[in-house]
Amino acid sequence: RDLAQIVAGLPVEIVLKAFPDQPVAGRVARVAPQASGAVGDAAVFAVMIDLPPTDLALRPGMTGRAEIRE
């Protein structure tokens, strides 16, 4: 429902389960042009986020929560 407001350049704050006290700031790089699936009756679109260099040991597949700020 909020997809139309998600555009490249918006700031994002990510809190990973592995590092709950160390939020990581980033920016929306792009939104996938096609849905990758659905959750209930909502389509799911991947959002790619650019992250600055960090000393955190980030790895693919880490889970957490991202908040995109408009």
Side-chain angles (χ1 to χ4, degrees):
R1 71 174 191 243
D2 298 324
L3 184 64
Q5 287 79 35
I6 307 303
V7 296
L10 285 177
V12 180
E13 182 178 84
I14 301 169
V15 177
L16 298 167
K17 288 183 180 180
F19 305 106
D21 298 325
Q22 297 175 287
V24 178
R27 293 211 172 264
V28 172
R30 64 186 175 94
V31 179
Q34 185 171 349
S36 60
V39 174
D41 65 346
V44 176
F45 288 80
V47 177
M48 278 51 83
I49 300 169
D50 285 331
L51 298 175
T54 179
D55 290 334
L56 297 177
L58 301 180
R59 298 184 184 243
M62 293 180 112
T63 59
R65 181 173 176 84
E67 185 173 334
I68 300 171
R69 304 194 188 269
E70 295 180 51

